[in-house]
Amino acid sequence: MAGVTPQPLVARVAALRDVFGRQFGAAPTVVARAPGRVNLIGEHTDYNDGFVFPIAIDRDTLVAARPRTDRQVRLYSDTLRRASQWSLDAIEPSRDQPWSNYVRGLTRFLEEEEVALPGADLAIASSVPLGAGVSSSAALEMAAGTALLALAGVEMEPSTLAMLCQRVENQFVGVNSGIMDQFISGLALADHALLLDCRSLRYEHVALPADHVIGVADTGVKHGLVASEYNARRVECDEGVRRLQEVLPDIRALRDVSPEHLATHATLLPERVARRSRHVVGENARVLAAVDALRNGNLAAVGELMYTSHASLRDDYEVTVPELDVLVDAARGVRGVVGSRMTGGGFGGSTVTLMERRAASQWERSVRRAFRERFGRPPATFITAAASGAGLVLS
Ligand code: GLA
């Protein structure tokens, strides 16, 4: 079915306050929000010290909070209708309640950063589709982090909080993900995409063209191997760097390798590692070219770069699935579509499509028809503008 348009923020905050009152018998003292994301281009480049170009979507996670004095954390998800509880003196990952680990990990790392948390009651409500590859976990981490910092009365740069949340994924949840998802959730600006250099963490907001929107189509495919396949790609990239260092001793990451260098030295690499490296090196160049083209108003070039990115992720990086390929092909045939590609880690998840606003309903019809013909069910689709990053909505 087509995505449901979320209720306005005020109504969602009021509903969450009610939920909080019913769960914990008191009103929250703060409410924070943080958005999910789609990446326009720059996939599997963040953990290679490269460039990414994501936007925040207008689907977000709200976290309402109130301090406690007994070092207990009580967490309730209205979205999942589940509760979980732990003590700040014994923070371990939960096997039965894996959804709570994003917040558990956060409380551990905030404590390690000497953010004094007295304990907290927390309630979550999210309009970010879960498991669709649009970073519902980063939205939860960033919203919960913003709320917990407010409870502790501590100010932290959003980029520092993003890095802390990335540690939660890497060291607590066990996915070796890069910095992109948390960073865009924290630092997004409405109507802009964000060009991020994942090595220096320098960033620039780049205006998106007026009268254009972003379409998101979710394959509904959830691959059980996402974490292991993702981590395997990282290992292959590291192997590429190690072998190339024999002839290019100054490189630290694939970010430092030019397409020309790679072409000259590709024979040093096992075939698969050569293809993985070719994707990353080419993708970094594509991000910078796409940002230039966008600034020059050359949308046709942006679109071609998005399609080339998808083909590279399909053929060289091997992280697409047929469902993603069908959605991209169907989008390509629609008048007014600028470009389309898979977004996020892959192995399922969603596509991102940049298009003229007036193309949106035709895009939705076309991708749904093509997908249904091939797979016998429709994908979930929604249209979004570029939204702003995490913040407090009640304090
Ligand atoms: C996932 C990770 C990100 C990034 C993308 C691929 O979304 O969380 O850090 O690596 O995959 O670009």
Side-chain angles (χ1 to χ4, degrees):
M1 58 160 210
V4 179
T5 308
Q7 287 182 299
L9 186 62
V10 234
R12 292 173 52 226
V13 172
L16 183 59
R17 285 171 63 102
D18 286 349
V19 167
F20 193 97
R22 283 200 296 280
Q23 282 299 314
F24 303 121
T29 55
V30 302
V31 179
R33 70 162 275 284
R37 66 95 190 91
V38 286
N39 188 17
L40 292 181
I41 193 160
E43 219 65 83
H44 289 276
T45 46
D46 60 353
Y47 53 83
N48 288 298
D49 274 5
F51 300 98
V52 293
F53 196 49
I55 65 156
I57 55 175
D58 60 12
R59 305 291 195 270
D60 53 26
T61 297
L62 298 176
V63 172
R66 179 179 184 86
R68 297 175 62 86
T69 52
D70 57 1
R71 296 192 49 79
Q72 291 294 307
V73 179
R74 295 192 298 179
L75 179 66
Y76 177 73
S77 166
D78 192 43
T79 312
L80 302 176
R81 303 277 147 93
R82 296 230 172 105
S84 187
Q85 179 167 354
W86 63 96
S87 159
L88 290 172
D89 299 315
I91 309 172
E92 293 301 330
S94 164
R95 274 169 178 252
D96 316 336
Q97 309 269 18
W99 63 275
S100 69
N101 285 336
Y102 302 102
V103 186
R104 285 172 188 260
L106 197 57
T107 56
R108 176 187 291 173
F109 294 130
L110 283 171
E111 286 267 305
E112 283 179 18
E113 293 301 312
E114 312 208 338
V115 172
L117 295 170
D121 287 336
L122 301 164
I124 310 166
S126 186
S127 63
V128 185
L130 301 181
V134 294
S135 292
S136 58
S137 59
L140 172 57
E141 290 153 7
M142 291 299 285
T146 305
L148 288 168
L149 286 169
L151 289 190
V154 172
E155 289 201 3
M156 189 181 271
E157 288 292 325
S159 56
T160 312
L161 178 60
M163 285 190 280
L164 197 136
C165 292
Q166 184 196 3
R167 272 175 65 203
V168 173
E169 299 266 353
N170 296 173
Q171 296 170 22
F172 202 85
V173 177
V175 183
N176 246 336
S177 50
I179 188 65
M180 168 169 71
D181 306 343
Q182 292 80 9
F183 202 95
I184 183 65
S185 183
L187 284 118
L189 185 64
D191 301 325
H192 290 70
L194 181 139
L195 170 62
L196 174 65
D197 177 337
C198 299
R199 170 173 281 166
S200 65
L201 295 191
R202 273 201 288 270
Y203 64 93
E204 273 174 75
H205 292 115
V206 181
L208 290 172
D211 298 326
H212 283 69
V213 291
I214 308 289
V216 181
D218 175 11
T219 59
V221 176
K222 295 173 185 33
H223 215 289
L225 295 174
V226 177
S228 59
E229 286 287 336
Y230 183 95
N231 292 346
R233 294 299 180 282
R234 283 198 76 145
V235 171
E236 288 165 346
C237 290
D238 291 346
E239 181 178 348
V241 174
R242 253 196 341 273
R243 292 191 184 237
L244 287 168
Q245 275 169 339
E246 288 166 20
V247 284
L248 302 168
D250 294 336
I251 65 166
R252 280 197 282 142
L254 287 177
R255 144 74 176 273
D256 302 312
V257 180
S258 67
E260 296 73 30
H261 275 145
L262 187 63
T264 312
H265 301 299
T267 48
L268 288 176
L269 305 176
E271 193 267 340
R272 184 193 293 178
V273 174
R275 281 189 292 117
R276 305 299 191 240
S277 305
R278 186 165 63 192
H279 165 72
V280 174
V281 168
E283 187 78 352
N284 276 326
R286 281 188 288 274
V287 175
L288 299 179
V291 172
D292 270 352
L294 195 60
R295 286 194 168 121
N296 296 328
N298 186 353
L299 290 183
V302 174
E304 273 318 304
L305 289 159
M306 289 176 78
Y307 294 120
T308 311
S309 165
H310 184 82
S312 173
L313 288 155
R314 183 189 59 214
D315 303 335
D316 279 349
Y317 221 64
E318 294 179 289
V319 292
T320 73
V321 290
E323 287 83 348
L324 288 166
D325 301 336
V326 164
L327 289 170
V328 170
D329 286 346
R332 192 167 197 157
V334 177
R335 196 188 169 94
V337 163
V338 172
S340 184
R341 51 183 290 283
M342 62 153 270
T343 187
F347 310 107
S350 296
T351 61
V352 57
T353 301
L354 176 63
M355 65 189 126
E356 292 173 20
R357 185 182 302 280
R358 62 196 167 97
S361 38
Q362 187 56 48
W363 166 78
E364 222 154 10
R365 274 198 297 280
S366 296
V367 294
R368 292 162 70 80
R369 191 187 319 119
F371 194 93
R372 193 198 282 275
E373 269 169 21
R374 174 80 187 272
F375 302 107
R377 61 183 174 88
T381 52
F382 66 91
I383 301 289
T384 179
S388 60
L392 290 174
V393 290
L394 170 80
S395 57

